């Protein structure tokens, strides 16, 4: 227990949480575009920048940042929990092989994080999609009219109208998606140890390259699950996880399961790069000021 409840783990957790909050704020319009593409099969255009421009023209800055507050809360909570558990477990099992230790710790941290943070992600998805003007697909039309007045009201209405279990909608796909951050963190730590990007002139650029490469691998391998996860959190996917995946494939083909991948890659790669730079710099500064070993 003493290896988990430490100042160092708290610094890692806060640094990771703040890094994710800063990064998602910068790239949030791409996150909005990605969500629209995954749940509204009739939205056009299909690529990231034109779609961001289209949303801005129709809905203004408010449309691009719809649900921003709840996502910052969700990401901070998610990454705080993940970084804390990951680094705590790695200290406990520091005697094992590095790659195996990282994979095991990342997987356990992912499961714990999903179970704690899933309700916040459900609320965020609902808030991002409500009040979307001119939505044409049958799924998103039922979310078109604004119903929620904020994060707390959204929590309360979901519990009242749909039951507490609805706050954990998409948990099955989320648990399978533990592979995403696990792959990301294992790849990131391996890249740091392997010094693949030593050609980079600064430490910050090395962190960017490591973060981008790790996130790209993880995102491509797990993207179909992310599509199903978003549809279930939105509240209109009533099938099982595999049933929803099969229905999406039947209706839209393989491209339906990878719809919005380009936007997701652009958003997540930028987010990962910024997050890891903020995390590394903030953690290094705090540890340096406190005189504590990382």
């Amino acid at each position: 227990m003493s290896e988990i409840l430490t100042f160092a783990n708290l610094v890692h957790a806060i640094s990771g949480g703040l890094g994710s909050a800063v990064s998602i704020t910068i790239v949030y319009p791409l996150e909005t575009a990605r969500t629209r593409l995954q749940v509204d099969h009739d939205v056009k255009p299909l690529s990231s920048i034109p779609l961001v421009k289209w949303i801005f023209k129709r809905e203004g800055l408010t449309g691009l940042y719809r649900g921003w507050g709840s996502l910052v809360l969700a990401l901070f909570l998610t990454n705080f929990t993940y970084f804390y558990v990951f680094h705590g477990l790695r200290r406990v099992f520091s005697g094992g092989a590095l790659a195996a230790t990282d994979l095991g710790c990342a997987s356990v941290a992912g499961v714990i994080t999903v179970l704690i943070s899933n309700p916040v992600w459900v609320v965020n998805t609902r808030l991002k999609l409500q009040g979307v003007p001119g939505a044409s697909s049958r799924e998103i039309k039922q979310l078109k009219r604004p119903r929620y007045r904020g994060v707390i009201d959204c929590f309360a209405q979901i519990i009242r109208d749909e039951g507490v279990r609805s706050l954990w909608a998409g948990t099955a796909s989320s648990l399978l998606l533990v592979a995403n951050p696990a792959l990301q963190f294992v790849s990131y730590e391996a890249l740091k140890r392997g010094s693949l990007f030593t050609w980079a002139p600064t430490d910050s650029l090395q962190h960017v390259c490591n973060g981008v490469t790790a996130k790209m691998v993880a995102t491509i391998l797990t993207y179909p699950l992310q599509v199903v996860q978003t549809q279930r959190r939105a509240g209109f996917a009533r099938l099982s996880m595999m049933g929803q995946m099969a229905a999406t494939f039947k209706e839209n083909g393989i491209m339906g399961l990878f719809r919005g991948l380009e936007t997701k890659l652009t958003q997540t790669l930028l987010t990962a790069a910024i997050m890891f730079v903020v995390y590394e710099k903030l953690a290094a500064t705090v540890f340096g000021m406190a005189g504590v070993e990382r």
Side-chain angles (χ1 to χ4, degrees):
M1 183 65 71
S2 61
E3 294 293 332
I4 296 179
L5 301 176
T6 66
F7 173 75
N9 292 340
L10 183 61
V11 172
H12 283 298
I14 294 175
S15 299
L18 289 176
S20 64
V22 171
S23 61
I24 197 61
T25 298
I26 295 173
V27 302
Y28 193 80
L30 292 173
E31 169 68 15
T32 298
R34 187 271 307 171
T35 303
R36 299 284 183 91
L37 285 168
Q38 287 183 342
V39 301
D40 188 353
H41 294 156
D42 297 324
V43 71
K44 297 289 188 300
L46 296 179
S47 55
S48 53
I49 302 304
L51 181 54
V52 167
K53 291 180 179 178
W54 183 82
I55 294 173
F56 179 75
K57 183 177 180 181
R58 290 166 58 90
E59 305 170 38
L61 196 61
T62 302
L64 288 177
Y65 277 86
R66 181 178 284 112
W68 169 81
S70 60
L71 183 58
V72 168
L73 174 63
L75 267 179
F76 183 87
L77 175 62
T78 297
N79 282 280
F80 180 93
T81 305
Y82 198 96
F83 274 80
Y84 196 100
V85 176
F86 175 79
H87 285 280
L89 290 175
R90 195 162 69 163
R91 284 177 180 272
V92 173
F93 300 105
S94 58
L98 287 175
T101 300
D102 285 347
L103 179 59
C105 293
S107 299
V108 174
V111 170
I112 293 172
T113 300
V114 165
L115 296 177
I116 292 175
S117 65
N118 198 81
V120 187
W121 285 105
V122 170
V123 167
N124 170 253
T125 302
R126 301 291 182 91
L127 290 174
K128 278 194 295 187
L129 292 176
Q130 71 168 353
V132 176
S136 53
S137 73
R138 67 178 183 275
E139 296 94 348
I140 206 171
K141 275 183 178 179
Q142 61 187 308
L143 299 171
K144 181 180 175 181
R145 185 177 181 181
R147 297 179 295 150
Y148 309 121
R149 295 187 296 274
V151 173
I152 303 300
D153 181 61
C154 187
F155 268 114
Q157 288 201 46
I158 291 174
I159 293 172
R160 184 191 67 199
D161 299 336
E162 304 172 40
V164 174
R165 290 184 59 184
S166 293
L167 291 174
W168 275 269
T171 299
S173 54
S174 297
L175 288 173
L176 289 176
L177 279 168
V178 165
N180 184 295
L183 287 170
Q184 177 187 352
F185 270 76
V186 170
S187 300
Y188 181 74
E189 294 296 330
L191 288 167
K192 282 175 64 177
R193 288 193 294 269
S195 302
L196 180 62
F197 298 106
T198 51
W199 51 264
T202 64
D203 288 343
S204 293
L205 186 55
Q206 286 188 39
H207 298 325
V208 168
C209 293
N210 289 336
V212 163
T213 304
K215 190 61 177 179
M216 182 170 64
V217 171
T219 299
I220 292 174
L221 292 177
T222 60
Y223 191 75
L225 284 172
Q226 295 184 48
V227 173
V228 173
Q229 178 192 60
T230 301
Q231 293 172 351
R232 291 180 64 79
R233 284 174 173 171
F236 56 73
R238 301 302 180 187
L239 300 173
S240 66
M241 180 187 67
M242 296 307 298
Q244 184 65 28
M245 188 175 292
T248 301
F249 177 79
K250 181 179 180 180
E251 184 175 349
N252 301 287
I254 189 66
M255 296 307 296
L257 294 174
F258 284 90
R259 184 178 173 87
L261 177 60
E262 178 260 344
T263 302
K264 178 65 176 178
L265 280 175
T266 304
Q267 178 249 313
T268 54
L269 296 186
L270 288 173
T271 300
I274 298 168
M275 184 194 74
F276 279 114
V277 169
V278 174
Y279 159 69
E280 293 284 358
K281 293 299 183 182
L282 183 57
T285 299
V286 175
F287 282 124
M289 293 174 62
V292 177
E293 185 180 352
R294 295 187 66 172

